[in-house]
Amino acid sequence: MLRVCDLYYNRDVSQSDIARLMDLSRPTVAKLIKTAKQKRVVQIIISDPQKRCYSELERRLEKAFRLQEVIVADTVENLQQKDVLAKMAAGYLNSILKDDDVIGVGSGTTLRYLAPYASRQFQNLTFVPLLGGSGDLEVTLDANHVVDILAKAFHGNGLHLYVPAIVSRSQTKRTLMKEESIRKVMNHYDSLDVVVVGIGTGDDLSSVFQSGYYTEEMKEYVRRTEVCGDICMHLFDKDGNTDQIEYNKQVFGIQLNKLKNVPYAIGIASGIHKAKAIHGAIRGGYINVLVTDAQCAEELYRIGAKETAAN
């Protein structure tokens, strides 16, 4: 058992090669390795080089909200927080992406911070914007711009959606969607392998309100209703519902329900003030992977525990 474990753990010899070297069957080698852990002959210690120590919190959130993965980063000063989250999210992307993947991209500052941390090259990646242009927002927040940055970083191809993120009438949206160049981009929404989106709060501090597309009348409507947050400028309530919000019909981009079918739907958000919006996004089924900071993660867990107790 010691010899097998030494070869396997210390010398990185495969189980098949160990079986050949020691004249054992491969199942016997596998059983010896398993038994060694059970008898504590082998004790595995996982060392986090970033010293985050949030594994237990991550597991609790995954279980509570049935998420595939939760990645919790340190809570740091505002100017650094987006970069810290982006680094974590990029590390996750580097681990799950594969050749020929189609990646949907939202807008926002955190997403563009992912680029410097792209450490792997893939073949034939396609990056697709999940909504149109973003009005008065800084150009670096525009989904088309973020697509360009990430496509370059990951050595992929970027598509563009040259329409406003919000149009004045739903009829305008229906007309534009008949254009072949636009349909060609939006057809990718049915075959996304990964999406990366920010989660907004749907209030005066959110990029949605700062986009320049919302009139004062629209803003007042949002303030009066039970809007909880937004993803790709689609507003939703605390339960993740979007249908009752009329202005969502004017948003030009992916319908949030399509995110429910994406294998890896990654939501990135930080700050305690984002916890309710994240909770709504989870309730809506729009994300199955969450990257957030420690304080927000703790607040999100409290919201979930309170909801469970109430039910």
Side-chain angles (χ1 to χ4, degrees):
M1 187 184 294
L2 287 171
R3 174 66 172 155
V4 166
C5 290
D6 177 60
L7 289 169
Y8 185 67
Y9 289 107
N10 292 332
R11 308 190 187 192
D12 295 322
V13 180
S14 69
Q15 293 186 23
S16 297
D17 287 341
I18 293 172
R20 180 177 53 80
L21 288 168
M22 298 187 64
D23 195 22
L24 299 170
S25 68
R26 192 180 183 287
T28 298
V29 171
K31 185 176 180 180
L32 285 168
I33 291 171
K34 181 179 180 180
T35 304
K37 286 194 287 185
Q38 292 172 343
K39 292 181 176 293
R40 300 183 69 81
V41 172
V42 170
Q43 299 181 49
I44 298 174
I45 299 173
I46 300 173
S47 178
D48 184 344
Q50 297 180 352
K51 309 298 182 186
R52 296 177 304 121
C53 303
Y54 301 125
S55 296
E56 178 59 29
L57 177 58
E58 290 168 344
R59 300 294 83 79
R60 280 191 281 132
L61 287 169
E62 287 166 5
K63 182 178 180 180
F65 296 109
R66 299 180 181 178
L67 296 169
Q68 285 183 196
E69 190 96 19
V70 174
I71 301 168
V72 177
D74 287 327
T75 298
V76 296
E77 293 296 326
N78 289 338
L79 294 178
Q80 302 175 32
Q81 190 68 78
K82 293 180 184 296
D83 187 63
V84 171
L85 258 62
K87 184 176 182 179
M88 295 292 185
Y92 184 72
L93 276 178
N94 288 323
S95 71
I96 64 166
L97 287 177
K98 58 187 185 300
D99 294 345
D100 303 312
D101 272 352
V102 179
I103 303 101
V105 178
S107 63
T109 51
T110 305
L111 301 192
R112 67 186 178 92
Y113 278 114
L114 293 169
Y117 301 109
S119 61
R120 293 181 58 195
Q121 295 185 19
F122 302 88
Q123 299 294 318
N124 198 36
L125 294 183
T126 302
F127 290 83
V128 186
L130 297 180
L131 74 163
S134 302
D136 291 342
L137 281 176
E138 181 187 349
V139 67
T140 53
L141 308 185
D142 188 284
N144 289 313
H145 184 75
V146 177
V147 160
D148 286 338
I149 292 174
L150 294 184
K152 182 178 180 180
F154 285 95
H155 300 271
N157 305 305
L159 303 181
H160 300 98
L161 193 59
Y162 290 124
V163 291
I166 298 179
V167 294
S168 57
R169 296 182 301 168
S170 55
Q171 177 59 45
T172 304
K173 178 180 174 179
R174 288 193 292 270
T175 301
L176 286 171
M177 288 181 69
K178 296 177 182 178
E179 293 293 329
E180 183 178 354
S181 61
I182 293 172
R183 287 204 319 272
K184 186 176 180 180
V185 175
M186 299 186 74
N187 284 343
H188 285 81
Y189 294 165
D190 293 317
S191 57
L192 294 168
D193 300 292
V194 179
V195 299
V196 187
V197 296
I199 302 172
T201 52
D203 58 21
D204 290 335
L205 299 177
S206 70
S207 59
V208 169
F209 270 42
Q210 296 172 22
S211 66
Y213 282 124
Y214 270 34
T215 64
E216 286 304 317
E217 180 184 356
M218 294 166 74
K219 291 179 181 179
E220 185 57 34
Y221 168 84
V222 170
R223 295 186 188 105
R224 290 198 315 269
T225 56
E226 295 183 348
V227 167
C228 174
D230 77 274
I231 292 177
C232 297
M233 294 198 176
H234 282 88
L235 300 164
F236 52 82
D237 65 16
K238 63 183 178 63
D239 295 315
N241 298 318
T242 61
D243 294 343
Q244 79 285 10
I245 302 172
E246 285 295 313
Y247 292 118
N248 284 338
K249 296 177 181 178
Q250 296 169 227
V251 178
F252 209 113
I254 192 170
Q255 295 296 312
L256 294 192
N257 282 336
K258 289 185 179 291
L259 300 183
K260 297 178 181 181
N261 301 317
V262 179
Y264 296 97
I266 306 167
I268 307 175
S270 63
I272 291 179
H273 67 291
K274 290 283 186 79
K276 290 183 179 179
I278 294 171
H279 186 251
I282 294 171
R283 289 289 300 270
Y286 307 134
I287 63 170
N288 53 36
V289 176
L290 172 64
V291 183
T292 190
D293 72 287
Q295 289 184 1
C296 183
E298 292 284 5
E299 179 65 16
L300 178 62
Y301 187 75
R302 281 192 288 271
I303 292 173
K306 184 178 180 180
E307 181 183 59
T308 300
N311 294 333

